[in-house]
Amino acid sequence: MKPAAFAYHAPETVTGVCALLAEYGDEAKPLAGGQSLVPMLALRLARFEHLVDLNRVEELAGVEREIGTLVVKAGTRQRVMEREPEIAMGVPLLARATPLIGHFQIRNRGTVGGSLAHADPASEYPAVALALDAEFEIARAGTVARRVSAADFFVGTWTTVMEPDELLVAVRFPIWIGPCGFAIEEFARRHGDFAVAGVACAVGSQRARIALFGVAPTPMRVQEAEDALLADAPAAEVAEAAVRELDPPDDVHASSATRRRITRHLVARAVTRAREEFRASR
Ligand SMILES: Cc1cc2nc3c(=O)[nH]c(=O)nc-3n(C[C@H](O)[C@H](O)[C@H](O)COP(=O)(O)OP(=O)(O)OC[C@H]3O[C@@H](n4cnc5c(N)ncnc54)[C@H](O)[C@@H]3O)c2cc1C
């Protein structure tokens, strides 16, 4: 099937994008890599009168390092996360999550901001952003109007706090310094499929983070499991704590009980790997 007709706009500045989004409101949608939006349009799961292409907006692409923070502009391709040594050094979870996203053709076009704005519950980047307390820079009328923490950004399946006239311009990922270890684990039926369930884990001397994905409408942190991880509890105990309150969805890919069981296993594995890396880095 082909998408319904739409007007195509190709502005070259953030100000130009914001002006179009303000003018057309919820009849308009930004087009980034198109890897989620175009299939949805083609399958007629969504319809918009106006598409605002972000691909000519140079100020939306690139990565900048500030003190303690890696700033990833929203239009940066996912493949950059996979290939740049600076990403692997600064925010290892981003680099390690990327090869798990679809296939390389998808990552060549797909953007970091597109994945986060799309907010698929089974996506890797939202869980990474949540685990690391990333901050989202959201522009309106051409300038950054607000910064939103990852904990507040994701509202539900394919839904974020952003309004139709707002544009995600960058995501600020804290760089962990000192001894630390990271791991991301997921289960998918075939290579390149969205995860049935997954976990992003980070551990340092005084902090521990566990964010699950594919098991709820948004990525979720599991506080009790994080406390157990920090207290050096055995991996199996941390994993048990992670799934204690969990009520994953039933769908064609897996039953709720299966997702729970898979998640327990993935958390134990991620915790073991992150801890090994943490200990080796001391
Ligand atoms: C076969 C296949 C398998 C895939 N597997 C995975 C997977 O395993 N894991 C995974 O995470 N993803 C997967 N994806 C999705 C892929 O990662 C997409 O690249 C990503 O979800 C969307 O990024 P995009 O840049 O293509 O955004 P688009 O498709 O262009 O846009 C997606 C949504 O985000 C909005 N948007 C984009 N940029 C902005 C912005 N700057 N500000 C505000 N709104 C914005 C758009 O309006 C749209 O609503 C898969 C896709 C395919 C086709």
Side-chain angles (χ1 to χ4, degrees), residues 159-171:
T159 313
T160 72
V161 291
M162 278 191 298
E163 299 292 338
D165 64 342
E166 290 185 322
L167 180 73
L168 178 62
V169 288
V171 186

Side-chain angles (χ1 to χ4, degrees), residues 29-37 54 74 78 100-102 106 109-111 113-115 117-118 123-124 162 166-168 192-194:
K29 207 69 177 152
L31 171 69
Q35 299 302 299
S36 297
L37 184 58
L54 307 180
Q78 294 162 3
L100 302 174
I101 299 175
I106 291 157
R109 290 297 304 165
T111 63
S115 175
H118 188 57
S123 272
E124 291 80 3
M162 278 191 298
E166 290 185 322
L167 180 73
L168 178 62
D193 282 3
F194 274 98

Side-chain angles (χ1 to χ4, degrees), residues 213-262:
F213 55 101
V215 293
T218 63
M220 57 182 286
R221 275 180 59 188
V222 275
Q223 184 75 51
E224 207 189 317
E226 291 179 353
D227 293 344
L229 173 56
L230 203 52
D232 217 18
E237 270 180 38
V238 179
E240 194 52 48
V243 300
R244 199 163 292 140
E245 305 285 320
L246 206 59
D247 184 19
D250 263 319
D251 62 24
V252 289
H253 304 294
S255 68
S256 179
T258 301
R259 271 205 170 81
R260 232 166 155 267
R261 221 170 25 247
I262 291 171

Side-chain angles (χ1 to χ4, degrees), residues 30 84 93 102 140:
E84 288 296 323
L93 270 181
R140 180 184 276 157

Side-chain angles (χ1 to χ4, degrees), residues 63-83:
V63 177
E64 286 169 7
R65 191 167 174 149
E66 295 179 1
I67 297 170
T69 307
L70 194 78
V71 184
V72 180
K73 308 276 187 65
T76 312
R77 305 284 173 202
Q78 294 162 3
R79 67 159 186 263
V80 174
M81 302 300 106
E82 196 172 357
R83 294 187 190 166

Side-chain angles (χ1 to χ4, degrees), residues 184-204:
I184 181 158
E185 298 285 338
E186 70 175 39
F187 172 77
R189 291 204 173 270
R190 296 171 307 182
H191 169 69
D193 282 3
F194 274 98
V196 170
V199 55
C201 177
V203 61

